[in-house]
Structures are given as structure tokens and as C-alpha cells.
């Protein structure tokens, strides 16, 4: 299988140094392995995504010296495929509607005898308020949030879950059980109102469609990978290898992307900084980027 990796930004704002780091690491890995570097625009959230930010992503990446294959995959072109996967999961009785708000979930999870609500990779672990005893019947409701019934889904799977993590430099086999998925992740949302799919479902379908062999992304998504591995098993998709890289932080340890003064790549560009300045800011100076 050809080494294939990708950079998958959401066009909901400008790219920052952390994005530059992620894109460059993925690009360098593709180069080092004589592989492919693909771009995917994750624009399912039509309330936040805009063509202006998408255009700026291309400009920033060109300026950084990256090249990618065209056509670029855009999630907004693929909504029918996400619907198709949701129909299949619904048909297998694995989804149920849930319109609980965050506040409802927080309230239901913090009953006095329960202690503080537990958090999983997708927020507070859903307490199961809307989970039906029997799978819902009839056609899949559209434009309503749908959750994956994790226990029922795990009932379809035999054995442990496993994925390969290469972020530390060597291949590590990460394993986890169906019981852990139920108790530490729970019923994640797979369809959102207004967007159809959720991030977890689209990312898994798209990585498979783009034949991604290596997912390179920030370590903030490490825990979400367990959800992706479960979906790959349910949908019979291959598991890519994962490379979760460190997050770019300032000297006080704060994530750059989370700082109020986090600076867009475009600002450095406007101030006539050079790409080598960016590389030194993200600790990649001297990196052999063949431009
Ligand atoms: N679109 C996601 C983001 O910008 C990245 C998803 C991924 O790399 O899996 O955070
Ligand atoms: Zn609910």
C-alpha cells in the first residue's frame, strides 16, 4: 500500500503555527516514504466554514512550500455518502435519536450520588437518558442528532480493539476492550443537526476513501482515535496507522492555538517573515523540506 497521509483542516478560521506544524510533519513523512500527501477540507459545519478561510488555507500552504494532489476532497461534496453510512448503522439498530442539550446531559450526569460527571473523548459520557431498550424502528429521522448505542455496537464486535500508534517514533500497539469503550467513551453523537454527519463518522469514511495509510494529527485527537477504530470495525473499513504529534506550546506551556493572541500564518506572511522563521518558531529549523 502506498504511504499516504493527509492534512485535514476545517475552514473555520485562519491556520496557526500548530496547523503549520501538523501539515509540515505530514508532508515530510510522505516525502520521506516516497508517498502521497493529500488535503481534505473538513467543511461539514456550514455555519462556521467559509470559502474565504478555505482560500486562505490554500494560500498559506502554498506559501509554506507544500504541494498536494488535486482535486482536493471537500466534505461538503460528500454528504450523501455520510447519509448512506448513517442509514446502514440505523438499519442495524445501532443509532438512536437524542436531542438532549449539554446542560441536560450535565444535569443528568451529576446526580449527587454519582459524583462529578466523567469526561470521555467526546465530552461528558452520555448518561443514556434517551437510549431505547429496543432499537428504534422505521426510517431514520433526518436532521436530528443520532447517537451510537455503544453497548449494542460493541455487541457486534468480537475480541479487542487495536490500532498502531507511531507518534513516539516506534510502532506501539494500543489495545482497548469493548467494556472500556462503553464505560469511558459511551454513546457518541454520529449525526448532528444541520450537518448530517459528525466529525467522527466523516473522518473515518474519508480516511478510507482517500486510502490514507498514516493519519498524522495532533495528540489532542489521540483519545478520539478509539471512536474511529470502533467505527472502522463496524463499517468494515481498514485501520490506518496513527501518528499523533506533540502540540505546539509557548514557553509557559500553553497551547498556541488556544492563546488569545495566537497568530495566524497569514499575519507572519503579511509582515514579510520567511518560511524559515516559521520553521524555527515550531522547532523544525534545519528540517529538510524539499520545496
Ligand atoms: N478537521 C480537524 C481539525 O481541524 C482535523 C481532523 C483530523 O486530523 O482527524 O481539527
Ligand atoms: Zn437525549
Amino acid at each position: 500500500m502506498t504511504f499516504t497521509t493527509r492534512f485535514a483542516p476545517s475552514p473555520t478560521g485562519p491556520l496557526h503555527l500548530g496547523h503549520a506544524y501538523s501539515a509540515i510533519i505530514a508532508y515530510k513523512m510522505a516525502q520521506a516514504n516516497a508517498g502521497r500527501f493529500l488535503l481534505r477540507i473538513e467543511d461539514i459545519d456550514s455555519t462556521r466554514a467559509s470559502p474565504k478561510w478555505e482560500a486562505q488555507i490554500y494560500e498559506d500552504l502554498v506559501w509554506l512550500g507544500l504541494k498536494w494532489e488535486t482535486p482536493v476532497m471537500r466534505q461538503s461534496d460528500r454528504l450523501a455518502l455520510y447519509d448512506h453510512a448513517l442509514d446502514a448503522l440505523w438499519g442495524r439498530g445501532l443509532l438512536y435519536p437524542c436531542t438532549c442539550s449539554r446542560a441536560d446531559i450535565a444535569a443528568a450526569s451529576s446526580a449527587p450520588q454519582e459524583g462529578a460527571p466523567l469526561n470521555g473523548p467526546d465530552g461528558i459520557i452520555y448518561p443514556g437518558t434517551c437510549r431505547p431498550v429496543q432499537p428504534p424502528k422505521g426510517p431514520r429521522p433526518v436532521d436530528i442528532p443520532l447517537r451510537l448505542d455503544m453497548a449494542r455496537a460493541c455487541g457486534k464486535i468480537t475480541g479487542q480493539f487495536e490500532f498502531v500508534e507511531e507518534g513516539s517514533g516506534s510502532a506501539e500497539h494500543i489495545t482497548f476492550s469493548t467494556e472500556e469503550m462503553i464505560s469511558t467513551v459511551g454513546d457518541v453523537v454520529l449525526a448532528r443537526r444541520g450537518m448530517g454527519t459528525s466529525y467522527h463518522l466523516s473522518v473515518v469514511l474519508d480516511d478510507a476513501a482517500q486510502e490514507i495509510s498514516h493519519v498524522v494529527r495532533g495528540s489532542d485527537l489521540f483519545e478520539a482515535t478509539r471512536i474511529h477504530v470502533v467505527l472502522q470495525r463496524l463499517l468494515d473499513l481498514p485501520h490506518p496507522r496513527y501518528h499523533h504529534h506533540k502540540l505546539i506550546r509557548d514557553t509557559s506551556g500553553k497551547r498556541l492555538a488556544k492563546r488569545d493572541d495566537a497568530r495566524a500564518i497569514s499575519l507572519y506572511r503579511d509582515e514579510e517573515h520567511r518560511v524559515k522563521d516559521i520553521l524555527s518558531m515550531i522547532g523544525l529549523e534545519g528540517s529538510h523540506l524539499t520545496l
Side-chain angles (χ1 to χ4, degrees):
M1 191 180 188
T2 311
F3 184 105
T4 307
T5 189
R6 47 66 163 188
F7 177 55
S10 305
T12 53
L15 297 187
H16 293 281
L17 292 177
H19 293 108
Y21 182 78
S22 201
I24 292 170
I25 293 275
Y27 186 81
K28 281 163 52 78
M29 282 179 64
Q31 275 191 332
N33 290 280
R36 303 170 67 201
F37 173 73
L38 306 181
L39 187 59
R40 179 165 79 230
I41 301 294
E42 301 214 321
D43 60 350
I44 41 173
D45 185 352
S46 57
T47 60
R48 295 175 61 223
S50 99
K52 169 189 153 193
W53 296 125
E54 184 178 335
Q56 192 170 308
I57 288 171
Y58 300 136
E59 275 172 47
D60 288 344
L61 296 179
V62 166
W63 181 72
L64 286 170
L66 308 192
K67 298 182 186 74
W68 55 90
E69 294 182 21
T70 52
V72 168
M73 179 177 278
R74 296 167 80 233
Q75 291 189 324
S76 54
D77 295 333
R78 294 174 48 76
L79 302 182
L81 279 111
Y82 308 140
D83 273 343
H84 186 73
L86 288 167
D87 285 339
L89 294 169
W90 176 267
R92 290 161 71 191
L94 300 180
L95 303 179
Y96 63 88
C98 168
T99 53
C100 294
S101 65
R102 268 178 226 272
D104 297 335
I105 296 172
S109 311
S110 45
Q113 68 279 18
E114 309 270 349
L118 280 175
N119 269 289
D122 208 38
I124 296 180
I125 297 171
Y126 184 62
T129 322
C130 297
R131 186 190 306 126
V133 178
Q134 292 299 326
K137 294 209 169 20
R140 175 171 70 88
V142 286
D143 215 21
I144 283 213
L146 299 174
R147 287 184 182 274
L148 178 70
D149 185 327
M150 189 60 83
R152 208 182 293 281
C154 284
K156 307 263 179 205
I157 288 161
T158 45
Q160 297 235 101
F161 296 106
E162 179 173 335
F163 68 94
V164 177
E165 172 61 46
E166 299 186 340
S168 66
S170 59
E172 233 182 305
H173 290 257
I174 311 282
T175 55
F176 51 99
S177 65
T178 53
E179 292 76 24
E180 281 172 81
M181 279 313 286
I182 298 164
S183 62
T184 67
V185 180
D187 296 357
V188 293
V189 173
L190 291 193
R192 294 194 179 278
R193 204 193 294 279
M195 307 194 222
T197 177
S198 74
Y199 157 70
H200 300 301
L201 182 65
S202 55
V203 83
V204 156
L205 292 167
D206 295 347
D207 283 336
Q210 291 190 297
E211 299 184 344
I212 301 300
S213 66
H214 287 71
V215 171
V216 178
R217 61 186 178 193
S219 57
D220 51 334
L221 288 168
F222 177 78
E223 289 296 332
T225 305
R226 290 193 287 154
I227 301 171
H228 304 167
V229 169
V230 170
L231 292 175
Q232 287 152 2
R233 284 286 284 277
L234 285 176
L235 297 166
D236 208 12
L237 301 173
H239 302 303
R241 295 164 90 88
Y242 288 87
H243 179 111
H244 289 96
H245 58 68
K246 65 171 187 178
L247 301 175
I248 297 293
R249 297 176 190 277
D250 67 12
T251 44
S252 70
K254 188 151 189 193
R255 264 180 75 182
L256 276 188
K258 298 277 177 197
R259 272 173 46 154
D260 300 336
D261 62 345
R263 303 191 72 231
I265 302 292
S266 55
L267 286 180
Y268 293 107
R269 201 148 44 89
D270 293 346
E271 288 170 3
E272 302 190 1
H273 281 274
R274 304 278 187 83
V275 175
K276 72 173 177 34
D277 303 331
I278 302 285
L279 293 177
S280 91
M281 283 179 234
I282 57 181
L284 292 176
E285 60 273 80
S287 75
H288 299 288
L289 195 65
T290 321
L291 302 181

